[in-house]
Every structure is written in structure tokens, then in C-alpha cells.
Amino acid sequence: PHWTRQERIRLARGIRQQNMKRLMDAAMEAQLATAASLPDLNAAIERIRAMPDIEVVQNLEGIDYARIARSIPQRSARDCELQWRNVDHPSVYHGRWTRDEIAQLKRLGEELLSETASSRLTWQDVADRLGTRRSAFDCAREFQQRFRRHRVTGRWTESED
């Protein structure tokens, strides 16, 4: 189901809160490790508080999506993580696909699909190689819609199922 504006606000707020806590904890640990003065710690905390939201939310590691999901009824931790990583994260580009991107996507997608089962190439690798801040999900979806539509028709056969 489509994410509402309120759900997306709650998700972003949860990400921001957790990243602020992570930054504050790191400042406290640094203060303890270096025996820095209280004014130094206060200055570090003020620098963190003054950070623009777009910088605060960049981190993707260690986010407790289950905790965030508790504030968003009908959404699971996985729903929250997928929404943030593939749609709402500020680094993900959602503009129109250029001809060059489409040509690269076709080449990389075909390479991914032609690899042997032992290959480690993923849609994330395709997104990274594309280098245009597209998410892995966007790359896979665009590739399927543009180049593989004719192969996904009808019901599953018994052998496919």
C-alpha cells in the first residue's frame, strides 16, 4: 500500500532521532576517552544539534527499524527499511531516466542476468556501477519494465511454481 505523508514524516523523524542519538553517544564516548573538558563536550553537542537534517539522516547503519515501525501502524520493520532505503533517503535520485542511464542499465542488467549462479553481482552492484544515485530497487524495476515485460505474462507454470 501507498505510504501516506504522515507515515513518511514519522519514518524520517525516527531515522533522525536514532542518528542524533548515535552522534551524541559518539561525542560522549570521545569525551570520556580523551578526558576532554565539559565545554568541549558542550561545543560538540551544539555542532551536532546545528547539523542540517539532510546530514543527520545520511547514516543507514544500525537503524532500529522495528522501533520506528512501532510508531507507524500497519508498517513492519522491513516495510520501514525498504521505504527509507529505496524511496525516502535523501541520496536516492528519482528523476527521469536519461538515454545514457537506460543504455547502461540495459547492459548491466543483461550482465547480471547472464552471470552464473555462483556470481555475486546484485541489483545493488548495478545501481553502484550506474553511478547516478538510483536505488537497487529502482534499477531492477526500470529494467523489468523496459526490457523484460514480455517474459512475465500469464500464470506460473507448475515447474516455475
Side-chain angles (χ1 to χ4, degrees):
H2 180 73
W3 279 67
T4 66
R5 183 175 183 277
Q6 188 62 32
E7 288 174 322
R8 294 173 79 181
I9 288 169
R10 286 181 181 171
L11 175 60
R13 185 179 301 138
I15 297 290
R16 183 182 187 289
Q17 287 171 345
Q18 287 188 31
N19 278 332
M20 286 294 285
K21 182 181 182 325
R22 182 186 57 81
L23 291 166
M24 295 287 190
D25 289 349
M28 295 285 280
E29 286 176 24
Q31 193 269 344
L32 291 172
T34 62
S37 68
L38 193 56
D40 290 340
L41 176 60
N42 286 336
I45 290 171
E46 286 308 311
R47 280 193 301 277
I48 292 167
R49 285 184 177 150
M51 288 175 70
D53 279 352
I54 197 158
E55 284 182 41
V56 174
V57 299
Q58 288 300 315
N59 173 59
L60 292 168
E61 301 306 315
I63 300 296
D64 183 352
Y65 291 100
R67 184 175 181 187
I68 294 170
R70 287 194 292 273
S71 72
I72 309 172
Q74 309 301 315
R75 301 295 179 179
S76 69
R78 186 72 176 142
D79 292 339
C80 291
E81 182 176 7
L82 290 172
Q83 179 71 19
W84 185 253
R85 287 182 178 265
N86 294 311
V87 180
D88 290 342
H89 192 277
S91 70
V92 176
Y93 178 65
H94 296 291
R96 293 189 91 129
W97 287 77
T98 66
R99 286 183 183 167
D100 185 50
E101 280 181 302
I102 293 166
Q104 287 182 50
L105 177 66
K106 183 176 184 185
R107 181 180 55 77
L108 291 168
E110 287 172 352
E111 179 182 333
L112 177 141
L113 295 177
S114 70
E115 295 287 335
T116 64
S118 63
S119 169
R120 298 280 189 246
L121 189 64
T122 66
W123 282 110
Q124 185 59 56
D125 296 327
V126 170
D128 293 344
R129 290 182 187 179
L130 198 60
T132 57
R133 297 183 8 243
R134 302 283 185 183
S135 72
F137 176 80
D138 284 341
C139 290
R141 181 181 58 202
E142 189 70 16
F143 183 84
Q144 293 299 328
Q145 287 176 348
R146 282 187 185 271
F147 307 113
R148 307 288 284 192
R149 263 188 278 175
H150 64 283
R151 296 184 188 190
V152 184
T153 59
R155 294 183 165 268
W156 290 90
T157 66
E158 198 169 302
S159 64
E160 290 172 325
D161 197 21

